[in-house]
Amino acid sequence: MAKKATVGKVRASLRTIEAGGLRAELVRTRRRSVSLQLLPDLGLLLRAPVNASDEYLRDFLQRREDWVRKHRARLEALRAEDPGPIWSAGGEVPFLGRKLLLDVKDGSRRSARLDTEGIAVVVPDPADSRAVRAAVERLYAREAAKRFPPLLDACLERAAPHRLPRPELRLRAMRSRWGSCDPVKKIVTLNTRLLRFRPEIIEYVIMHELSHLRHRGHDARFYAFLERLCPEWKSMRRQLAGVFLD
Ligand SMILES: [Zn+2]
């Protein structure tokens, strides 16, 4: 189910665990707590400490059965409303909250660039939607490198009263998450695919990750802090919820 999950170096150690009618990919890492993530393909990823027993993890999974069913149903409903971008000529793809028209031409040099009408793509075979998408994703990555650092600066400035340390910013195209934060190394990683959304939503993700510099887990204190940095976080989160990552 979760074959496409991006879990970095620990990918090779994935195996499956089942309980209560649910099946999750299990990855053990040097972490202290167990977490369950619903992936974009609606599969489940269970992250657990190295020494957690299988019995404990099955129990953990079983107790979250209602949560999983509820959120899967919600994601399916959202996706039924918006099936996602069409990666071919004449299709519209999201860019900073707007929809841009794709103009696809054939040529030996693969490229995608912004023009006044939309996005101009060149690929060897215009009917190859994967190649079109790959070219646009590279454009997203280039634009993210240009546009995300100033957004981080703006967020840090607004959060200045809380005296957060300035994290190192890394950018990656990711399949299972919009961002992550390593509070120990002070690294915030943002998904270049966030380039699809309007800047306010990108800033919400940044504020979420910055909040992890203060509170590691997603507990009540974390959300109280996030609320101070980004009072609109609930509506922003809803807008990200139904979006395909892959
Ligand atoms: Zn988080």
Side-chain angles (χ1 to χ4, degrees):
M1 291 264 284
K3 275 191 206 93
K4 290 178 185 167
T6 306
V7 287
K9 289 168 211 145
V10 289
R11 183 71 180 82
S13 67
L14 276 179
R15 67 180 188 83
T16 302
I17 192 153
E18 287 179 56
L22 298 179
R23 173 203 293 256
E25 300 288 344
L26 170 65
V27 58
R28 294 176 184 276
T29 57
R30 274 180 299 183
R31 55 182 292 135
R32 286 177 295 183
S33 58
V34 180
S35 81
L36 184 64
Q37 186 185 4
L38 185 57
L39 296 167
D41 64 2
L42 301 184
L44 295 170
L45 180 64
L46 190 64
R47 292 184 169 90
V50 177
N51 59 2
S53 73
D54 281 9
E55 194 188 350
Y56 174 82
L57 296 176
R58 275 194 289 271
D59 185 51
F60 182 95
L61 189 57
Q62 189 152 19
R63 278 185 282 117
R64 274 153 187 81
E65 195 173 348
D66 286 347
W67 178 89
V68 170
R69 293 197 192 291
K70 195 177 109 193
H71 284 273
R72 273 185 179 156
R74 190 175 59 104
L75 281 179
E76 277 165 349
L78 284 164
R79 286 171 183 188
E81 283 170 28
D82 180 4
I86 296 161
W87 305 96
S88 61
E92 284 182 327
V93 300
F95 185 90
L96 292 175
R98 291 179 299 147
K99 294 250 167 116
L100 296 186
L101 202 60
L102 284 183
D103 174 30
V104 185
K105 293 198 167 68
D106 66 316
S108 54
R109 293 190 58 156
R110 293 161 192 267
S111 69
R113 61 178 177 77
L114 293 170
D115 69 15
T116 48
E117 311 286 319
I119 298 179
V121 179
V122 179
V123 285
D125 175 8
D128 181 354
S129 64
R130 286 176 57 176
V132 172
R133 178 175 176 168
V136 175
E137 297 278 11
R138 285 194 297 275
L139 171 70
Y140 283 170
R142 288 198 307 275
E143 292 292 322
K146 218 178 345 179
R147 295 166 192 263
F148 289 4
L151 292 177
L152 173 65
D153 288 342
C155 287
L156 283 168
E157 205 171 302
R158 287 211 303 280
H162 301 285
R163 299 175 181 278
L164 296 172
R166 168 176 285 273
E168 180 190 332
L169 178 62
R170 292 186 185 171
L171 303 175
R172 267 175 69 193
M174 294 187 276
R175 287 206 169 98
S176 68
R177 42 176 56 186
W178 294 117
S180 65
C181 178
D182 182 332
V184 177
K185 293 181 184 158
K186 299 185 178 43
I187 297 168
V188 164
T189 304
L190 295 177
N191 193 337
T192 53
R193 292 173 177 168
L194 280 168
L195 217 279
R196 296 174 178 200
F197 302 100
R198 59 197 168 87
E200 290 80 2
I201 293 181
I202 303 170
E203 286 182 357
Y204 148 70
V205 174
I206 295 173
M207 288 305 202
H208 178 112
E209 302 310 337
L210 289 178
S211 298
H212 282 309
L213 294 172
R214 185 63 54 83
H215 300 288
R216 186 183 270 263
H218 296 111
D219 56 9
R221 290 179 313 157
F222 170 86
Y223 285 110
F225 188 75
L226 174 59
E227 177 108 22
R228 266 179 265 151
L229 296 188
C230 180
E232 304 290 299
W233 68 272
K234 277 185 186 157
S235 99
M236 302 289 181
R237 185 170 72 172
R238 259 199 306 278
Q239 294 176 64
L240 284 173
V243 177
F244 276 117
L245 277 170
D246 53 0

